[in-house]
Amino acid sequence: MMNLDLPKLFDLDKMSREPKFKNSFYQQDILSVDQFNRESLSYIFTRAQEMSEMVNKVGSCDLLHGYTLACVFYEPSTRTSASFIAAMERLGGNVIPITQGIKYSSVSKGESLVDTMITLEQYSDAIVLRHPEIGSVAKAAKYSRVPIINAGDGAGEHPTQALLDLFTIRKELGSIDGLRIAMVGDLRNGRTVHSLTKLLMSYDVSLRFVSPDTLRLPLNLMNDLIDKGVDVRETDKVEDVIGDVDVLYVTRIQKERFTDLADYEAVKDYFEITPEVMANAKEKMVVMHPLPRVGEIHYKVDKDPRAAYFRQVQNGMFVRMALLAAVLGQA
Ligand code: NCD
């Protein structure tokens, strides 16, 4: 190594990057909603509320100045990727976005997931990862030195979506205990449904599952609900539940998870939430959807004050700001 007698650039004795808050998420991978309990959820939601107030007042701050997040998406995304990027930038941090199609990264040259992660951790303080295989994000986390946040692993989990879903329910309806919540659509393949269902097991709620027979909630989840004594019912008709639910959580039929396209065609137009359907819903209730929608909710419903899906989108940014700041020890 060359040793020129140069004046020092940095006064390192005066510089540090200590965690401000050692909460239970500090430096933790966020892989599943199983890592959360009511107490830690309240922590994140309180912080998310603070984030929303900060954004509404001044737009951004420098809480995560000096931190870099890599966002790596092996599957399409609009909201999850954009909201993580927006979250990081509104907190004054930087982003390495590998979201414009993995085809432009070395993954298209055959690089393994593990090598890609080990590469990105050399540049970043945390990694957000979406991948089509169940369990792949957990596997990547085993090899990564920096925390990895699961942004969806195939039909497995989507923990940060469930956090923002729950935050939205609480914000819209005041509390979660005592609510009757219906999930509609592709309950078999919808990872947002899986994560939200698991989270809701910590609350005193009644659950209704509405889907065609082939797309019912996975049996292991249903058994867990029954073991916990949750009031659950299944049906294949929205009409059976619309009149007495507080939350109608609508999801897309997950075309990309079908091996036989004929099976998808058979169920793709299975239901649509229209103003006529909404006419039978309670006055105080909300319609939610993780989005994208592909025909499950008619555009005319958007004007209904009970349509909460775009407010839900914005909440996603606030919740991800809270989570990123917590993982990096700054909230
Ligand atoms: C969901 C997903 O990717 O699982 N989208 C999202 O993250 N908001 C839902 C979906 O794709 O249907």
Side-chain angles (χ1 to χ4, degrees):
M1 173 105 52
M2 264 196 291
N3 198 355
L4 297 180
D5 196 14
L6 290 175
K8 288 273 183 244
L9 270 182
F10 305 109
D11 188 353
L12 292 177
D13 291 339
K14 291 210 179 107
M15 298 164 84
S16 76
R17 194 166 74 164
E18 291 303 310
K20 275 203 214 114
F21 298 91
K22 283 215 173 170
N23 66 70
S24 59
F25 303 109
Y26 177 56
Q27 290 296 317
Q28 295 303 304
D29 300 310
I30 306 294
L31 302 174
S32 160
V33 289
D34 294 341
Q35 295 165 253
F36 294 84
N37 56 31
R38 286 180 73 135
E39 196 190 340
S40 57
L41 287 167
S42 290
Y43 187 93
I44 293 293
F45 294 162
T46 304
R47 290 305 198 206
Q49 184 57 32
E50 287 183 71
M51 296 298 180
S52 86
E53 288 162 18
M54 184 280 288
V55 169
N56 288 330
K57 187 149 192 222
V58 292
S60 65
C61 67
D62 60 2
L63 197 68
L64 294 186
H65 174 77
Y67 289 91
T68 298
L69 177 72
C71 278
V72 191
F73 283 68
Y74 286 75
E75 273 191 341
S77 167
T78 300
R79 276 148 293 270
T80 307
S81 57
S83 66
F84 266 114
I85 293 170
M88 197 62 187
E89 293 188 345
R90 283 188 185 268
L91 291 173
N94 301 304
V95 179
I96 303 170
I98 306 195
T99 55
Q100 295 304 313
I102 287 297
K103 62 176 184 283
Y104 298 116
S105 82
S106 284
V107 168
S108 66
K109 299 182 192 169
E111 184 166 59
S112 71
L113 177 61
V114 170
D115 280 2
T116 306
M117 290 303 110
I118 296 176
T119 300
L120 288 168
E121 76 177 22
Q122 314 301 321
Y123 311 131
S124 58
D125 301 293
I127 298 172
V128 171
L129 174 63
R130 170 173 288 187
H131 193 278
E133 269 166 52
I134 296 181
S136 54
V137 181
K139 180 180 156 205
K142 280 208 188 101
Y143 292 91
S144 169
R145 221 173 6 94
V146 303
I148 293 213
I149 300 175
N150 182 1
D153 61 326
E157 275 215 44
H158 193 348
T160 65
Q161 178 72 41
L163 295 181
L164 77 91
D165 292 340
L166 209 57
F167 180 74
T168 301
I169 297 173
R170 214 175 72 150
K171 204 164 160 181
E172 294 282 332
L173 298 173
S175 71
I176 293 158
D177 286 320
L179 296 181
R180 179 164 295 170
I181 299 170
M183 304 207 200
V184 186
D186 190 345
L187 311 181
R188 183 167 73 140
N189 300 304
R191 55 193 171 200
T192 72
V193 167
H194 303 162
S195 289
L196 183 57
T197 301
K198 282 193 189 184
L199 264 196
L200 287 170
M201 287 189 207
S202 304
Y203 294 84
D204 177 20
V205 291
S206 333
L207 297 177
R208 302 290 177 260
F209 295 101
V210 188
S211 71
D213 195 45
T214 51
L215 301 179
R216 284 164 66 185
L217 192 76
L219 206 57
N220 61 328
L221 274 177
M222 184 53 79
N223 286 338
D224 287 350
L225 289 167
I226 292 166
D227 287 349
K228 287 214 148 72
V230 181
D231 168 20
V232 284
R233 262 172 244 170
E234 290 180 288
T235 170
D236 59 0
K237 286 185 207 65
V238 177
E239 292 70 37
D240 291 346
V241 303
I242 190 71
D244 62 358
V245 292
D246 304 294
V247 178
L248 191 72
Y249 187 90
V250 185
T251 65
R252 169 181 72 90
I253 310 293
Q254 309 275 304
K255 183 178 183 184
E256 67 275 32
R257 310 283 177 228
F258 285 73
T259 39
D260 186 345
L261 218 56
D263 292 343
Y264 168 73
E265 293 293 333
V267 289
K268 76 177 180 14
D269 297 320
Y270 146 80
F271 72 101
E272 184 182 17
I273 309 303
T274 59
E276 292 70 44
V277 175
M278 289 302 292
N280 296 316
K282 295 208 283 196
E283 208 174 306
K284 189 176 175 220
M285 58 86 71
V286 284
V287 182
M288 294 173 56
H289 193 309
L291 302 176
R293 64 173 150 185
V294 288
E296 311 82 46
I297 302 181
H298 196 282
Y299 290 102
K300 280 189 189 154
V301 176
D302 298 1
K303 287 200 216 80
D304 191 315
R306 296 169 292 182
Y309 29 92
F310 290 113
R311 299 193 288 275
Q312 188 182 352
V313 168
Q314 193 184 37
N315 289 336
M317 181 175 75
F318 302 140
V319 168
R320 287 171 176 133
M321 289 169 81
L323 192 66
L324 287 171
V327 165
L328 294 171
Q330 303 301 311

